[in-house]
Amino acid sequence: MSSSATSIAKVTATITANAGALFTTSFAPASTAAPKAAVASILDPSHPNPVKFDTSDPLVLFIVQAFIIVGFSRLLGFFLGKLRQPKVISEVIAGIIIGPSALGRVPGFTSNIFPSQSISYLYLVANLGLVLFLFLVGLEVDFSLFRRDFKSSTSISFIGMIVPFGLGAAVGKGLYDNYIDANTVSFGTFILFIGTANAITAFPVLARILTELDLLKDPVGLSVLAAGVGNDVIGWVLLALAIALTNSTSGIIVLYIILCSIGWILALWFIARPVLIWWCRKTGAFGEKGPDETLVCGIVFLVLISAWVTDRIGIHSLFGGFVVGLIVPKELRGPLTEKIEDLVSVLFLPLRPDSQRDFSHSGLNTNLGLLADGSIWGWTFCVIFTAFLSKFISCGAVAKFNGQPWRESGAVGSLMACKGLVELIVLNIGHNAKILNDAVFAMFVLMALVTTFVTTPLTIAFYPMSYRLMKRGAITHPKDDSHDIPPTAGTVKPNSRYAVILQQFDHLPALFAFCKLIKAPVDISVTPASRSSIDKSSSPIGSASDEKQKEVEDVTSVAALRLIELTERTSAVLRASESPEALVAADSLTQVFKSHALGSGIPTEAKLEIAGAEQFPALVATHASEASADMLVLPWAIQQAKANDGGAADFIPNPFESIFGKSGSSGREVSTQYAAFVRKVFVESHCDVGLFLDRGLDSTRVFAGRAHLFFAFHGGSDDRACLDFIVQLATKNKGITATVVRITPAAEPTPDDVATRLTTRETSVTKEEMTPVLFSQLTVHGAATGTDTLYPTQQDLASDTADNIAFATWFEPSQTGARPQAVEDGLSRIEYIAASSIQPLHYAVAKAKDAARTDGVPLVVVSGRGRRNATSHTKELAAFLKENLEKVQSSIAHSSEVRRAIGDVAVAYLVAGVGSALVVIQSAATGGEVKNKSA
């Protein structure tokens, strides 16, 4: 700007005051610079650094910081999870890598990514997350655990605090003399803090380890969990006292802090808690509806207010959140946790701050470079061994004194020595309060890392699953080969006890239909009392007719197992810690199924298991064995293809979609995952397994108790199990009719083939033609493979003989007089056809289509899985899939995992779209053997 312009812009004003004095001033010229852009673009050459911190826009760098911290934590957590380590281990190690011990030594890393000006924003977000996390920890505390084993849990908790506290204080004396400035930290405060840090047990991490190891319902888990509750609460009280001593200048102030803290806790308990209970009842939050948005908002505000009050009193804001968690009604804890925990655990917790310096995590502030000489490493090992052994020996000894065997006692000691996340929070508080300097802080973070890392391996070593199974009296069930032994003339294999698996509400229609198949509708024209009197008067006790009636007496019952996946969420841990009876009573899916089964006249019992998805197959097999089930039933709801939802993805083609999978294939992906689960169940089970696939069409019509079954017999143990199952259903349920076709492979076209227009052999498809169809066009990428059975698919002489005897038993006219009348009535509703075909698979599909009823009775197709002693259909199936390639690509049969799970014959039925439901049966004789992983 020129001098003339400057002189023009400068204005002199003369103001006359009251006294007549003159006051002269100059006004600054108006700014002619362009306004600053709201956001600096990385495309602007004047802003070359995309992560440069700007106080007017701190979000940019915060996103980068959060991405680095959370990303490192999740990446390490993925690998450490394979070692069954808790998530806190990966978060600490990630912080150490990002902190001054590793990446912090890279020039420019800390100054650019974690500049000192940005830490206050990171600190604010992370501290808010810590307050909410301590609120969740308070929600986890369940004082009713003491009532389950009061003596054991109280003694373990008390001794497990006293001994480590005393030994920690002894070590603290040496640390204070060598590494602490006596002018800044008093000896009493330091000893109180070190003793508390040494005695505390990480209750949240402990609960997750117990849940993952399936110990929550075990006596060891119950003792440890109850002791951990008391240990946790006492530890927080001692920590509050240490903070109060640090923040006070005289004894009277400490007294005021303690009295005010007690007053606030009493106010929350006697005023805030009744208000919450009244509010929950008024809004119906205790029911299935759960807390509404207003109630959640009110509770969060109460958490923040309590954090502010406790911070102003002089203890710490974290205690405010913890105390509010303790007063929340128990019925509200699970639903409330579900609404808060994900954001806290995913974003807030990895950003845990420990000071307003250049660090945002315990690991970030852990500078292992400070542990630079032998003396300090000697003290570090002393801290680690004292912290672990004081807990391990004291708690283990008390458990042994209370009568637990040495293995259980060792597991109790190992679990109680876990420090975990709570220890890190305690250390951060002490570091912020200047009780711990950087060197001592690094020692104790390393101690927390080591003691947490060894908890799971030591617990498994002391208390392995094999020992627990032996303790429970578990017996390895021998393989049931009843389908390899011909049935006695005139008898029905008594499949009267069924084990049913409940996972999703989508499976209920399939289960309802299955219940109506295995149980005939109740005849309300004759009451049970009158029927009993009629039976007694018409048939004398011990008569031949009475004995025959007993052979087919309907004593069908169901043992249901509800499976819920255990996740890392706090709400899952809270749910898993409840009693089994309360879990079953509160589970809607279980209650709906029980109500329907009981209404159908089927006695039903149910249990619920919360475990990791990888444990589901073993739990299912164990449940079937413990329930002495004749057949294990797995429901499968096949999701139908959905029409376009009008989204942009339906109209804008994406060339990369084929690489990562189409967006509309989620149903197939779910089917692939479920198929992997089914395959593992087939391997683990020692009884017959029935897979009921509901195609979502007409299966609801089976509710009337009527259905027509179609079964094509190709041979083998699985097919014999299917034949027994069909005869049993027809015998028990008068609404069941069936068509059984025994197909014998032929070398040349037969009259049966001519009738169904099948005149070519399947071998017309060469190996070169099969390969792209089966492994390129039909295989879903990344199929979840697992161990599966692989059997020779060629019938042997013994199997052929068993097949012939089975058919002679049921369909040979000479056996008519040897069978009970109920069996004869059932067999009269079964149409038996003997056929021969050059293409058995094609012929079976054609006959299944012909068997469809036109009177509204649904068709249920039954198929053996065909994994042992069965005719091979590999080549013919390849030809069939190629002929129906468009149908294959739009169905779940597109997945190789699904095809492996259900078998060749069932795949053909599924692709052809035959029937409203498909039942795939594996005989007990073909399960429980791992032959090959690539089956």
Side-chain angles (χ1 to χ4, degrees), residues 75-106:
L75 181 62
L76 289 174
F78 173 78
F79 294 103
L80 290 175
K82 304 297 183 182
L83 302 177
R84 309 184 77 170
Q85 291 299 322
K87 188 170 56 178
V88 64
I89 295 291
S90 63
E91 293 174 354
V92 175
I93 295 178
I96 292 176
I97 294 175
I98 300 172
S101 300
L103 292 180
R105 298 180 181 273
V106 176

PDB file of all heavy atoms in Angstrom, residues 75-106:
ATOM      1  N   LEU A  75      -3.966 -54.353  14.532  1.00  0.00           N
ATOM      2  CA  LEU A  75      -3.090 -55.251  13.779  1.00  0.00           C
ATOM      3  C   LEU A  75      -2.374 -56.217  14.714  1.00  0.00           C
ATOM      4  O   LEU A  75      -2.336 -57.433  14.472  1.00  0.00           O
ATOM      5  CB  LEU A  75      -2.081 -54.436  12.969  1.00  0.00           C
ATOM      6  CG  LEU A  75      -1.108 -55.238  12.095  1.00  0.00           C
ATOM      7  CD1 LEU A  75      -1.873 -56.018  11.036  1.00  0.00           C
ATOM      8  CD2 LEU A  75      -0.087 -54.310  11.440  1.00  0.00           C
ATOM      9  N   LEU A  76      -1.817 -55.691  15.798  1.00  0.00           N
ATOM     10  CA  LEU A  76      -1.152 -56.558  16.764  1.00  0.00           C
ATOM     11  C   LEU A  76      -2.156 -57.464  17.469  1.00  0.00           C
ATOM     12  O   LEU A  76      -1.864 -58.614  17.775  1.00  0.00           O
ATOM     13  CB  LEU A  76      -0.394 -55.714  17.789  1.00  0.00           C
ATOM     14  CG  LEU A  76       0.865 -55.007  17.285  1.00  0.00           C
ATOM     15  CD1 LEU A  76       1.425 -54.090  18.358  1.00  0.00           C
ATOM     16  CD2 LEU A  76       1.926 -56.012  16.877  1.00  0.00           C
ATOM     17  N   GLY A  77      -3.352 -56.918  17.726  1.00  0.00           N
ATOM     18  CA  GLY A  77      -4.378 -57.719  18.388  1.00  0.00           C
ATOM     19  C   GLY A  77      -4.795 -58.923  17.570  1.00  0.00           C
ATOM     20  O   GLY A  77      -5.130 -59.971  18.119  1.00  0.00           O
ATOM     21  N   PHE A  78      -4.779 -58.771  16.243  1.00  0.00           N
ATOM     22  CA  PHE A  78      -5.142 -59.896  15.376  1.00  0.00           C
ATOM     23  C   PHE A  78      -4.171 -61.056  15.559  1.00  0.00           C
ATOM     24  O   PHE A  78      -4.576 -62.217  15.671  1.00  0.00           O
ATOM     25  CB  PHE A  78      -5.161 -59.445  13.921  1.00  0.00           C
ATOM     26  CG  PHE A  78      -5.363 -60.553  12.931  1.00  0.00           C
ATOM     27  CD1 PHE A  78      -6.627 -61.077  12.715  1.00  0.00           C
ATOM     28  CD2 PHE A  78      -4.290 -61.092  12.230  1.00  0.00           C
ATOM     29  CE1 PHE A  78      -6.819 -62.117  11.811  1.00  0.00           C
ATOM     30  CE2 PHE A  78      -4.471 -62.121  11.326  1.00  0.00           C
ATOM     31  CZ  PHE A  78      -5.741 -62.638  11.114  1.00  0.00           C
ATOM     32  N   PHE A  79      -2.866 -60.757  15.612  1.00  0.00           N
ATOM     33  CA  PHE A  79      -1.873 -61.819  15.744  1.00  0.00           C
ATOM     34  C   PHE A  79      -1.796 -62.341  17.181  1.00  0.00           C
ATOM     35  O   PHE A  79      -1.694 -63.550  17.407  1.00  0.00           O
ATOM     36  CB  PHE A  79      -0.495 -61.306  15.295  1.00  0.00           C
ATOM     37  CG  PHE A  79      -0.422 -60.989  13.834  1.00  0.00           C
ATOM     38  CD1 PHE A  79      -0.457 -59.676  13.387  1.00  0.00           C
ATOM     39  CD2 PHE A  79      -0.338 -62.005  12.896  1.00  0.00           C
ATOM     40  CE1 PHE A  79      -0.400 -59.383  12.035  1.00  0.00           C
ATOM     41  CE2 PHE A  79      -0.277 -61.722  11.538  1.00  0.00           C
ATOM     42  CZ  PHE A  79      -0.307 -60.405  11.107  1.00  0.00           C
ATOM     43  N   LEU A  80      -1.849 -61.440  18.160  1.00  0.00           N
ATOM     44  CA  LEU A  80      -1.799 -61.892  19.548  1.00  0.00           C
ATOM     45  C   LEU A  80      -3.066 -62.640  19.945  1.00  0.00           C
ATOM     46  O   LEU A  80      -3.050 -63.446  20.869  1.00  0.00           O
ATOM     47  CB  LEU A  80      -1.588 -60.690  20.482  1.00  0.00           C
ATOM     48  CG  LEU A  80      -0.205 -60.041  20.406  1.00  0.00           C
ATOM     49  CD1 LEU A  80      -0.148 -58.797  21.273  1.00  0.00           C
ATOM     50  CD2 LEU A  80       0.869 -61.028  20.841  1.00  0.00           C
ATOM     51  N   GLY A  81      -4.173 -62.351  19.244  1.00  0.00           N
ATOM     52  CA  GLY A  81      -5.399 -63.091  19.519  1.00  0.00           C
ATOM     53  C   GLY A  81      -5.250 -64.568  19.216  1.00  0.00           C
ATOM     54  O   GLY A  81      -5.929 -65.403  19.825  1.00  0.00           O
ATOM     55  N   LYS A  82      -4.368 -64.897  18.261  1.00  0.00           N
ATOM     56  CA  LYS A  82      -4.121 -66.308  17.965  1.00  0.00           C
ATOM     57  C   LYS A  82      -3.468 -67.009  19.163  1.00  0.00           C
ATOM     58  O   LYS A  82      -3.581 -68.227  19.312  1.00  0.00           O
ATOM     59  CB  LYS A  82      -3.202 -66.445  16.746  1.00  0.00           C
ATOM     60  CG  LYS A  82      -3.719 -65.738  15.495  1.00  0.00           C
ATOM     61  CD  LYS A  82      -5.024 -66.323  15.009  1.00  0.00           C
ATOM     62  CE  LYS A  82      -5.489 -65.644  13.724  1.00  0.00           C
ATOM     63  NZ  LYS A  82      -6.791 -66.171  13.252  1.00  0.00           N
ATOM     64  N   LEU A  83      -2.791 -66.223  20.012  1.00  0.00           N
ATOM     65  CA  LEU A  83      -2.193 -66.767  21.230  1.00  0.00           C
ATOM     66  C   LEU A  83      -3.130 -66.634  22.419  1.00  0.00           C
ATOM     67  O   LEU A  83      -2.714 -66.853  23.555  1.00  0.00           O
ATOM     68  CB  LEU A  83      -0.871 -66.039  21.527  1.00  0.00           C
ATOM     69  CG  LEU A  83       0.196 -66.100  20.438  1.00  0.00           C
ATOM     70  CD1 LEU A  83       1.418 -65.276  20.839  1.00  0.00           C
ATOM     71  CD2 LEU A  83       0.601 -67.539  20.171  1.00  0.00           C
ATOM     72  N   ARG A  84      -4.391 -66.231  22.134  1.00  0.00           N
ATOM     73  CA  ARG A  84      -5.434 -66.095  23.157  1.00  0.00           C
ATOM     74  C   ARG A  84      -5.066 -65.040  24.197  1.00  0.00           C
ATOM     75  O   ARG A  84      -5.322 -65.192  25.385  1.00  0.00           O
ATOM     76  CB  ARG A  84      -5.694 -67.445  23.832  1.00  0.00           C
ATOM     77  CG  ARG A  84      -5.951 -68.567  22.866  1.00  0.00           C
ATOM     78  CD  ARG A  84      -6.295 -69.867  23.539  1.00  0.00           C
ATOM     79  NE  ARG A  84      -7.673 -69.867  24.018  1.00  0.00           N
ATOM     80  CZ  ARG A  84      -8.283 -70.956  24.473  1.00  0.00           C
ATOM     81  NH1 ARG A  84      -7.636 -72.107  24.503  1.00  0.00           N
ATOM     82  NH2 ARG A  84      -9.528 -70.905  24.898  1.00  0.00           N
ATOM     83  N   GLN A  85      -4.440 -63.966  23.711  1.00  0.00           N
ATOM     84  CA  GLN A  85      -4.077 -62.868  24.589  1.00  0.00           C
ATOM     85  C   GLN A  85      -5.157 -61.786  24.553  1.00  0.00           C
ATOM     86  O   GLN A  85      -5.740 -61.527  23.510  1.00  0.00           O
ATOM     87  CB  GLN A  85      -2.735 -62.267  24.170  1.00  0.00           C
ATOM     88  CG  GLN A  85      -1.554 -63.182  24.412  1.00  0.00           C
ATOM     89  CD  GLN A  85      -1.372 -63.525  25.877  1.00  0.00           C
ATOM     90  OE1 GLN A  85      -1.565 -62.697  26.754  1.00  0.00           O
ATOM     91  NE2 GLN A  85      -0.996 -64.773  26.135  1.00  0.00           N
ATOM     92  N   PRO A  86      -5.419 -61.136  25.693  1.00  0.00           N
ATOM     93  CA  PRO A  86      -6.429 -60.072  25.712  1.00  0.00           C
ATOM     94  C   PRO A  86      -5.990 -58.867  24.892  1.00  0.00           C
ATOM     95  O   PRO A  86      -4.793 -58.654  24.636  1.00  0.00           O
ATOM     96  CB  PRO A  86      -6.554 -59.718  27.202  1.00  0.00           C
ATOM     97  CG  PRO A  86      -5.298 -60.218  27.829  1.00  0.00           C
ATOM     98  CD  PRO A  86      -4.863 -61.408  27.030  1.00  0.00           C
ATOM     99  N   LYS A  87      -6.956 -58.068  24.519  1.00  0.00           N
ATOM    100  CA  LYS A  87      -6.707 -56.937  23.629  1.00  0.00           C
ATOM    101  C   LYS A  87      -5.786 -55.900  24.237  1.00  0.00           C
ATOM    102  O   LYS A  87      -5.070 -55.187  23.526  1.00  0.00           O
ATOM    103  CB  LYS A  87      -8.051 -56.312  23.254  1.00  0.00           C
ATOM    104  CG  LYS A  87      -7.994 -55.245  22.191  1.00  0.00           C
ATOM    105  CD  LYS A  87      -9.387 -54.882  21.734  1.00  0.00           C
ATOM    106  CE  LYS A  87     -10.273 -54.448  22.866  1.00  0.00           C
ATOM    107  NZ  LYS A  87     -11.619 -54.050  22.420  1.00  0.00           N
ATOM    108  N   VAL A  88      -5.781 -55.767  25.572  1.00  0.00           N
ATOM    109  CA  VAL A  88      -4.973 -54.744  26.216  1.00  0.00           C
ATOM    110  C   VAL A  88      -3.491 -54.967  25.953  1.00  0.00           C
ATOM    111  O   VAL A  88      -2.705 -54.007  25.902  1.00  0.00           O
ATOM    112  CB  VAL A  88      -5.264 -54.720  27.732  1.00  0.00           C
ATOM    113  CG1 VAL A  88      -4.857 -56.022  28.389  1.00  0.00           C
ATOM    114  CG2 VAL A  88      -4.579 -53.548  28.402  1.00  0.00           C
ATOM    115  N   ILE A  89      -3.066 -56.223  25.758  1.00  0.00           N
ATOM    116  CA  ILE A  89      -1.662 -56.506  25.469  1.00  0.00           C
ATOM    117  C   ILE A  89      -1.246 -55.835  24.171  1.00  0.00           C
ATOM    118  O   ILE A  89      -0.191 -55.179  24.085  1.00  0.00           O
ATOM    119  CB  ILE A  89      -1.431 -58.024  25.390  1.00  0.00           C
ATOM    120  CG1 ILE A  89      -1.690 -58.682  26.743  1.00  0.00           C
ATOM    121  CG2 ILE A  89      -0.019 -58.318  24.919  1.00  0.00           C
ATOM    122  CD1 ILE A  89      -0.689 -58.343  27.792  1.00  0.00           C
ATOM    123  N   SER A  90      -2.063 -55.987  23.143  1.00  0.00           N
ATOM    124  CA  SER A  90      -1.727 -55.386  21.848  1.00  0.00           C
ATOM    125  C   SER A  90      -1.721 -53.869  21.934  1.00  0.00           C
ATOM    126  O   SER A  90      -0.907 -53.211  21.271  1.00  0.00           O
ATOM    127  CB  SER A  90      -2.722 -55.854  20.786  1.00  0.00           C
ATOM    128  OG  SER A  90      -4.031 -55.430  21.091  1.00  0.00           O
ATOM    129  N   GLU A  91      -2.611 -53.287  22.742  1.00  0.00           N
ATOM    130  CA  GLU A  91      -2.661 -51.830  22.857  1.00  0.00           C
ATOM    131  C   GLU A  91      -1.412 -51.289  23.528  1.00  0.00           C
ATOM    132  O   GLU A  91      -0.867 -50.258  23.120  1.00  0.00           O
ATOM    133  CB  GLU A  91      -3.910 -51.420  23.626  1.00  0.00           C
ATOM    134  CG  GLU A  91      -5.206 -51.723  22.862  1.00  0.00           C
ATOM    135  CD  GLU A  91      -6.445 -51.439  23.692  1.00  0.00           C
ATOM    136  OE1 GLU A  91      -6.295 -51.126  24.885  1.00  0.00           O
ATOM    137  OE2 GLU A  91      -7.556 -51.534  23.143  1.00  0.00           O
ATOM    138  N   VAL A  92      -0.920 -51.980  24.548  1.00  0.00           N
ATOM    139  CA  VAL A  92       0.301 -51.519  25.224  1.00  0.00           C
ATOM    140  C   VAL A  92       1.507 -51.670  24.314  1.00  0.00           C
ATOM    141  O   VAL A  92       2.333 -50.758  24.197  1.00  0.00           O
ATOM    142  CB  VAL A  92       0.504 -52.303  26.538  1.00  0.00           C
ATOM    143  CG1 VAL A  92       1.827 -51.916  27.183  1.00  0.00           C
ATOM    144  CG2 VAL A  92      -0.647 -52.032  27.494  1.00  0.00           C
ATOM    145  N   ILE A  93       1.620 -52.817  23.635  1.00  0.00           N
ATOM    146  CA  ILE A  93       2.767 -53.021  22.745  1.00  0.00           C
ATOM    147  C   ILE A  93       2.725 -52.029  21.595  1.00  0.00           C
ATOM    148  O   ILE A  93       3.767 -51.493  21.182  1.00  0.00           O
ATOM    149  CB  ILE A  93       2.766 -54.477  22.222  1.00  0.00           C
ATOM    150  CG1 ILE A  93       2.976 -55.453  23.380  1.00  0.00           C
ATOM    151  CG2 ILE A  93       3.844 -54.661  21.171  1.00  0.00           C
ATOM    152  CD1 ILE A  93       2.947 -56.905  22.966  1.00  0.00           C
ATOM    153  N   ALA A  94       1.528 -51.756  21.066  1.00  0.00           N
ATOM    154  CA  ALA A  94       1.414 -50.761  19.997  1.00  0.00           C
ATOM    155  C   ALA A  94       1.875 -49.396  20.494  1.00  0.00           C
ATOM    156  O   ALA A  94       2.564 -48.653  19.773  1.00  0.00           O
ATOM    157  CB  ALA A  94      -0.029 -50.682  19.509  1.00  0.00           C
ATOM    158  N   GLY A  95       1.509 -49.057  21.732  1.00  0.00           N
ATOM    159  CA  GLY A  95       1.954 -47.777  22.278  1.00  0.00           C
ATOM    160  C   GLY A  95       3.455 -47.711  22.456  1.00  0.00           C
ATOM    161  O   GLY A  95       4.079 -46.666  22.229  1.00  0.00           O
ATOM    162  N   ILE A  96       4.054 -48.836  22.868  1.00  0.00           N
ATOM    163  CA  ILE A  96       5.518 -48.858  23.024  1.00  0.00           C
ATOM    164  C   ILE A  96       6.195 -48.676  21.674  1.00  0.00           C
ATOM    165  O   ILE A  96       7.203 -47.967  21.552  1.00  0.00           O
ATOM    166  CB  ILE A  96       5.941 -50.185  23.686  1.00  0.00           C
ATOM    167  CG1 ILE A  96       5.448 -50.233  25.139  1.00  0.00           C
ATOM    168  CG2 ILE A  96       7.449 -50.359  23.624  1.00  0.00           C
ATOM    169  CD1 ILE A  96       5.727 -51.538  25.836  1.00  0.00           C
ATOM    170  N   ILE A  97       5.643 -49.302  20.621  1.00  0.00           N
ATOM    171  CA  ILE A  97       6.231 -49.161  19.284  1.00  0.00           C
ATOM    172  C   ILE A  97       6.106 -47.729  18.791  1.00  0.00           C
ATOM    173  O   ILE A  97       7.052 -47.157  18.232  1.00  0.00           O
ATOM    174  CB  ILE A  97       5.551 -50.135  18.304  1.00  0.00           C
ATOM    175  CG1 ILE A  97       5.856 -51.579  18.694  1.00  0.00           C
ATOM    176  CG2 ILE A  97       6.002 -49.858  16.869  1.00  0.00           C
ATOM    177  CD1 ILE A  97       5.129 -52.609  17.860  1.00  0.00           C
ATOM    178  N   ILE A  98       4.940 -47.117  19.004  1.00  0.00           N
ATOM    179  CA  ILE A  98       4.722 -45.751  18.526  1.00  0.00           C
ATOM    180  C   ILE A  98       5.448 -44.735  19.399  1.00  0.00           C
ATOM    181  O   ILE A  98       5.810 -43.650  18.944  1.00  0.00           O
ATOM    182  CB  ILE A  98       3.209 -45.448  18.490  1.00  0.00           C
ATOM    183  CG1 ILE A  98       2.507 -46.426  17.548  1.00  0.00           C
ATOM    184  CG2 ILE A  98       2.941 -44.024  18.031  1.00  0.00           C
ATOM    185  CD1 ILE A  98       1.002 -46.334  17.593  1.00  0.00           C
ATOM    186  N   GLY A  99       5.668 -45.079  20.667  1.00  0.00           N
ATOM    187  CA  GLY A  99       6.247 -44.150  21.629  1.00  0.00           C
ATOM    188  C   GLY A  99       7.742 -43.968  21.487  1.00  0.00           C
ATOM    189  O   GLY A  99       8.356 -44.352  20.490  1.00  0.00           O
ATOM    190  N   PRO A 100       8.369 -43.411  22.510  1.00  0.00           N
ATOM    191  CA  PRO A 100       9.789 -43.053  22.438  1.00  0.00           C
ATOM    192  C   PRO A 100      10.728 -44.241  22.365  1.00  0.00           C
ATOM    193  O   PRO A 100      11.899 -44.067  22.054  1.00  0.00           O
ATOM    194  CB  PRO A 100      10.003 -42.254  23.734  1.00  0.00           C
ATOM    195  CG  PRO A 100       8.923 -42.698  24.648  1.00  0.00           C
ATOM    196  CD  PRO A 100       7.751 -43.006  23.785  1.00  0.00           C
ATOM    197  N   SER A 101      10.231 -45.456  22.637  1.00  0.00           N
ATOM    198  CA  SER A 101      11.113 -46.625  22.600  1.00  0.00           C
ATOM    199  C   SER A 101      11.435 -47.062  21.180  1.00  0.00           C
ATOM    200  O   SER A 101      12.453 -47.715  20.954  1.00  0.00           O
ATOM    201  CB  SER A 101      10.471 -47.796  23.354  1.00  0.00           C
ATOM    202  OG  SER A 101      10.229 -47.460  24.699  1.00  0.00           O
ATOM    203  N   ALA A 102      10.585 -46.744  20.209  1.00  0.00           N
ATOM    204  CA  ALA A 102      10.794 -47.226  18.839  1.00  0.00           C
ATOM    205  C   ALA A 102      10.618 -46.088  17.832  1.00  0.00           C
ATOM    206  O   ALA A 102      11.583 -45.390  17.493  1.00  0.00           O
ATOM    207  CB  ALA A 102       9.847 -48.380  18.541  1.00  0.00           C
ATOM    208  N   LEU A 103       9.386 -45.879  17.349  1.00  0.00           N
ATOM    209  CA  LEU A 103       9.164 -44.861  16.322  1.00  0.00           C
ATOM    210  C   LEU A 103       9.461 -43.455  16.839  1.00  0.00           C
ATOM    211  O   LEU A 103       9.750 -42.559  16.040  1.00  0.00           O
ATOM    212  CB  LEU A 103       7.710 -44.940  15.828  1.00  0.00           C
ATOM    213  CG  LEU A 103       7.329 -46.194  15.035  1.00  0.00           C
ATOM    214  CD1 LEU A 103       5.867 -46.151  14.617  1.00  0.00           C
ATOM    215  CD2 LEU A 103       8.228 -46.356  13.817  1.00  0.00           C
ATOM    216  N   GLY A 104       9.381 -43.273  18.142  1.00  0.00           N
ATOM    217  CA  GLY A 104       9.707 -41.960  18.691  1.00  0.00           C
ATOM    218  C   GLY A 104      11.148 -41.564  18.475  1.00  0.00           C
ATOM    219  O   GLY A 104      11.498 -40.379  18.572  1.00  0.00           O
ATOM    220  N   ARG A 105      11.995 -42.539  18.184  1.00  0.00           N
ATOM    221  CA  ARG A 105      13.410 -42.240  17.905  1.00  0.00           C
ATOM    222  C   ARG A 105      13.640 -41.847  16.446  1.00  0.00           C
ATOM    223  O   ARG A 105      14.734 -41.429  16.095  1.00  0.00           O
ATOM    224  CB  ARG A 105      14.266 -43.462  18.252  1.00  0.00           C
ATOM    225  CG  ARG A 105      14.200 -43.835  19.740  1.00  0.00           C
ATOM    226  CD  ARG A 105      15.064 -45.045  20.048  1.00  0.00           C
ATOM    227  NE  ARG A 105      14.977 -45.406  21.451  1.00  0.00           N
ATOM    228  CZ  ARG A 105      15.752 -44.894  22.415  1.00  0.00           C
ATOM    229  NH1 ARG A 105      16.675 -44.000  22.105  1.00  0.00           N
ATOM    230  NH2 ARG A 105      15.602 -45.281  23.661  1.00  0.00           N
ATOM    231  N   VAL A 106      12.621 -42.027  15.614  1.00  0.00           N
ATOM    232  CA  VAL A 106      12.741 -41.609  14.217  1.00  0.00           C
ATOM    233  C   VAL A 106      12.665 -40.091  14.163  1.00  0.00           C
ATOM    234  O   VAL A 106      11.719 -39.496  14.688  1.00  0.00           O
ATOM    235  CB  VAL A 106      11.617 -42.235  13.361  1.00  0.00           C
ATOM    236  CG1 VAL A 106      11.692 -41.727  11.926  1.00  0.00           C
ATOM    237  CG2 VAL A 106      11.705 -43.749  13.402  1.00  0.00           C
TER     238      VAL A 106
END
